[in-house]
Amino acid sequence: MIQYMQGMLFLSVLVAFAACNAPPVPLDDIFIEKTFVPEQCVRAVKVGDYVRYHYNGMFPDGKKFDSSYDRGSSYNVFVGKKQLIEGMDKALVGMCVNERRLVKIPPHLAYGKRGYGDIIPPDSILHFDVLLLDVWNPEDGVQINTYHTPTICARKVEVSDFIRYHYNGTLLDGTLFDSSHTRMRTYDTYVGIGWLIAGMDQGLLGMCVGERRIITMPPSLGYGENGDGSDIPGQASLVFDVVLLDLHNPRDGITVTNQEVPESCTRKTVAGDFIRYHYNGSLLDGTFFDSSYSRNRTYDTYIGQGYVITGMDEGLIGVCVGEKRTITIPPHLAYGEEGTGSKIPGSAVLVFDVHIIDFHNPSDNTEILVTYKPEACDKQTKKGDFIKYHYNASLMDGTSIDSTYNYGKTYNIVLGTNQVVPGMEDGLKEMCVGERRHVVIPPHLGYGERGVTGEVPGSAVMVFDIELVEMEEGLPDGYMFIWNEDVSPDLFAEMDKDENKQVEPSEFTDYILRQVNEGKGRLAPGFDPYRIIENMFSNQDRNGDGKITEVEFKLKADEAAAHDEL
């Protein structure tokens, strides 16, 4: 019978002695003193249950005759099936896990008149100090207690899903045997296909990401009769406190949820476009891992060409400027089993909240939309014209960049002389005074990949709303000065005011300005007249001595006409 009594915790010999030294009471039945009762008792032992317990066995004088502690293993047995002495069979009924009882058993419910060999004399009263560690029944299945359910549950775990979860694993008495938290990494596995113990395969089904549940299983659905050979004893019930962090199925594609779609969407992204967008990146349980906002700059890339992870390549197709969407990407379309190290675990589902700022295609030209055109439109701008215009400049998302109205003056350029970006050159051509246009300029015709520090982001599409205020017709292509009348045959003499047979710079300048003022000639508008005249003088002064002789003047006149010469 010694073999039947493996399983009860030894409090102390003093407690046993104290109990045994109480005034003698004749025992007709067992006597039970509950020395510790746990606050919670989920389940009490019933006949037919299987229990694991520790004990110390003593005689009334306190002498120990047996102990499961000394053998280093609990006593495991069915209750009420005559596998124990009758008194112990009765004493265990109604016990809770972690409850302790001091049990006194009279001889007729123990070993009676025969005793047990040399260990227990005949007619011995036996005292047992019992600690219950575990209880289960062969009919038990997995028990699930969900103690936190997330507000939103878009999907639940199904058979063949791959999940990532954290857990604490304990025995029924609370003894910790394993924890993913201590290893600082989730447990990652397929569910329902035999990769886990049967109880866990069952207990994880139906969970939502963020859900927390207690999964309790009998040993038949855990590690059975033999345990795991280390921390889990044989015939042990197991309790797992689980939080689900992630789930996906290998058959999954990306999931796109539109959060905000602009009313006006003239164009959607296609493969090959270059896109600028902001994003917040998180894991499926909400753990943040990256954000473009924290760097205060958009993420800029080509889409549909493998520059980003496959799921993002797919998720950014078909979006409008200003659109906000959530893109959920399974690991096989993201960073796979390896993850990226510290920020993104292996086999992690990724969630990106994206906001599309702008996009363009390298083949794009400047887009021009005429918003107002006056009825009278006799003259249209062309290369060489000096024009004055107002503009409001913004990005595609409406962010204001600049406006001439803020300065109270127009922006003035000579068209076709590279004084503005190529896209603006296109947008200002063939305009009438008073005309208004909406001009969209892709970055390769605007400020390029570098942008303008502090003003225009790199690779940004620019939007200009322009109004032509004034224009002055330019000279023919390549000319900086032209005559409105026939050229005087005495041109050199007219310039040589002091008649010293040479023209000084001042004489040359005064003469040209006088012709312009009198309407006999024109300088190219929009340029510094003195710089033009200086260049004209330099072209006449063949030997570069700072004056023009009549010989130099004639030689120059004999050559093919130069556009800024006389």
Side-chain angles (χ1 to χ4, degrees):
M1 173 60 191
I2 302 297
Q3 299 170 350
Y4 286 61
M5 299 182 292
Q6 302 175 8
M8 306 172 11
L9 177 66
F10 177 58
L11 284 179
S12 71
V13 175
L14 293 176
V15 174
F17 269 110
C20 294
N21 290 335
V25 176
L27 284 178
D28 295 326
D29 199 354
I30 64 171
F31 175 81
I32 295 174
E33 178 185 352
K34 296 181 179 181
T35 57
F36 178 79
V37 178
E39 291 184 4
Q40 293 185 337
C41 182
V42 178
R43 176 175 181 171
V45 176
K46 294 185 293 186
V47 172
D49 284 345
Y50 192 92
V51 297
R52 295 191 309 109
Y53 63 94
H54 269 309
Y55 72 91
N56 281 313
M58 300 162 289
F59 296 116
D61 63 358
K63 181 179 178 182
K64 183 168 66 173
F65 60 81
D66 192 20
S67 172
S68 63
Y69 298 99
D70 294 344
R71 288 188 296 276
S73 64
S74 61
Y75 192 74
N76 309 334
V77 69
F78 281 101
V79 176
K81 294 191 175 183
K82 298 183 179 182
Q83 296 180 0
L84 295 165
I85 57 174
E86 186 176 352
M88 187 61 77
D89 248 353
K90 295 175 66 175
L92 291 170
V93 174
M95 282 194 80
C96 304
V97 171
N98 286 328
E99 183 179 337
R100 294 170 64 178
R101 291 181 174 183
L102 182 60
V103 181
K104 300 177 183 179
I105 303 178
H108 67 279
L109 297 177
Y111 292 97
K113 297 183 178 299
R114 298 180 63 180
Y116 188 81
D118 297 332
I119 300 175
I120 297 177
D123 294 319
S124 294
I125 296 174
L126 304 181
H127 290 187
F128 290 94
D129 189 357
V130 180
L131 172 64
L132 187 66
L133 303 178
D134 197 345
V135 55
W136 55 271
N137 193 281
E139 296 181 0
D140 285 348
V142 173
Q143 301 173 41
I144 296 172
N145 175 27
T146 298
Y147 64 93
H148 174 74
T149 302
T151 306
I152 299 175
C153 181
R155 177 174 178 176
K156 296 182 178 181
V157 176
E158 299 177 359
V159 171
S160 80
D161 281 344
F162 191 91
I163 66 171
R164 299 192 308 110
Y165 63 96
H166 269 305
Y167 71 89
N168 286 319
T170 62
L171 304 180
L172 209 58
D173 66 346
T175 302
L176 181 72
F177 62 80
D178 192 18
S179 174
S180 63
H181 297 281
T182 60
R183 293 191 296 275
M184 298 183 68
R185 61 173 298 175
T186 55
Y187 193 81
D188 309 339
T189 184
Y190 286 96
V191 178
I193 61 173
W195 284 31
L196 295 164
I197 55 175
M200 197 58 112
D201 251 353
Q202 296 177 29
L204 292 167
L205 293 176
M207 285 193 79
C208 306
V209 171
E211 182 177 335
R212 295 174 181 267
R213 59 171 55 172
I214 304 293
I215 302 171
T216 306
M217 64 194 70
S220 61
L221 299 176
Y223 288 93
E225 295 183 6
N226 298 321
D228 71 344
S230 176
D231 298 311
I232 300 175
Q235 299 291 26
S237 300
L238 304 181
V239 181
F240 290 92
D241 189 343
V242 177
V243 56
L244 185 65
L245 301 183
D246 197 342
L247 80 142
H248 75 277
N249 194 283
R251 299 186 299 271
D252 287 347
I254 66 168
T255 301
V256 175
T257 305
N258 289 327
Q259 305 296 343
E260 182 179 325
V261 180
E263 293 182 5
S264 175
C265 181
T266 57
R267 174 176 172 180
K268 295 184 177 182
T269 54
V270 296
D273 282 345
F274 190 90
I275 187 170
R276 297 174 54 247
Y277 64 97
H278 271 303
Y279 71 88
N280 285 318
S282 62
L283 304 181
L284 206 56
D285 67 342
T287 302
F288 170 86
F289 64 80
D290 193 19
S291 174
S292 62
Y293 296 99
S294 64
R295 294 188 292 275
N296 198 31
R297 61 171 297 175
T298 55
Y299 192 82
D300 309 338
T301 185
Y302 288 96
I303 56 171
Q305 296 184 339
Y307 285 86
V308 290
I309 56 175
T310 304
M312 191 61 90
D313 246 356
E314 295 179 17
L316 292 171
I317 298 293
V319 293
C320 309
V321 170
E323 184 172 338
K324 295 181 179 180
R325 62 170 46 177
T326 298
I327 305 171
T328 304
I329 305 174
H332 55 276
L333 298 177
Y335 294 98
E337 296 181 6
E338 300 300 321
T340 63
S342 60
K343 288 189 176 182
I344 299 177
S347 300
V349 176
L350 306 184
V351 180
F352 291 93
D353 289 309
V354 300
H355 180 200
I356 309 304
I357 303 303
D358 76 19
F359 65 89
H360 71 279
N361 195 281
S363 62
D364 286 348
N365 295 315
T366 303
E367 295 179 21
I368 301 171
L369 174 64
V370 176
T371 57
Y372 173 76
K373 193 163 190 172
E375 292 183 6
C377 184
D378 299 328
K379 291 186 177 181
Q380 295 181 328
T381 55
K382 64 182 185 308
K383 183 177 180 181
D385 288 350
F386 180 58
I387 61 174
K388 299 180 180 181
Y389 63 98
H390 274 302
Y391 68 82
N392 287 317
S394 63
L395 302 179
M396 284 287 278
D397 64 349
T399 301
S400 179
I401 296 297
D402 194 17
S403 175
T404 56
Y405 296 101
N406 294 337
Y407 310 122
K409 61 180 182 179
T410 57
Y411 196 78
N412 309 331
I413 67 163
V414 177
L415 194 59
T417 58
N418 299 321
Q419 294 180 4
V420 288
V421 295
M424 185 59 86
E425 290 270 15
D426 295 336
L428 289 166
K429 290 177 181 177
E430 299 178 355
M431 282 189 80
C432 306
V433 172
E435 184 176 338
R436 293 191 289 270
R437 291 181 174 182
H438 182 78
V439 181
V440 181
I441 303 175
H444 53 276
L445 298 175
Y447 296 98
E449 295 182 8
R450 301 182 64 179
V452 179
T453 304
E455 296 183 42
V456 180
S459 299
V461 178
M462 293 293 295
V463 179
F464 289 89
D465 288 300
I466 58 178
E467 179 183 6
L468 187 62
V469 175
E470 187 179 326
M471 67 174 275
E472 183 179 346
E473 189 173 3
L475 302 187
D477 191 19
Y479 285 82
M480 298 301 288
F481 173 85
I482 62 171
W483 292 98
N484 293 331
E485 299 179 356
D486 292 336
V487 181
S488 171
D490 298 323
L491 189 57
F492 184 82
E494 291 175 10
M495 288 184 185
D496 184 18
K497 282 292 186 180
D498 58 8
E499 299 180 355
N500 64 349
K501 303 301 181 182
Q502 57 186 26
V503 176
E504 306 288 339
S506 59
E507 292 175 315
F508 188 86
T509 300
D510 289 344
Y511 181 80
I512 296 300
L513 290 177
R514 187 166 61 252
Q515 307 311 305
V516 171
N517 292 334
E518 293 175 359
K520 298 177 181 179
R522 284 185 66 209
L523 290 169
F527 296 98
D528 181 353
Y530 292 98
R531 292 292 301 273
I532 296 175
I533 295 171
E534 182 181 339
N535 287 336
M536 292 170 64
F537 182 87
S538 296
N539 284 332
Q540 298 293 332
D541 181 14
R542 295 173 63 85
N543 61 9
D545 62 356
K547 52 185 177 292
I548 302 171
T549 64
E550 191 169 6
V551 173
E552 287 176 313
F553 202 81
K554 286 181 179 179
L555 287 172
K556 205 69 177 176
D558 290 339
E559 296 175 356
H563 294 167
D564 58 356
E565 298 175 359
L566 300 176

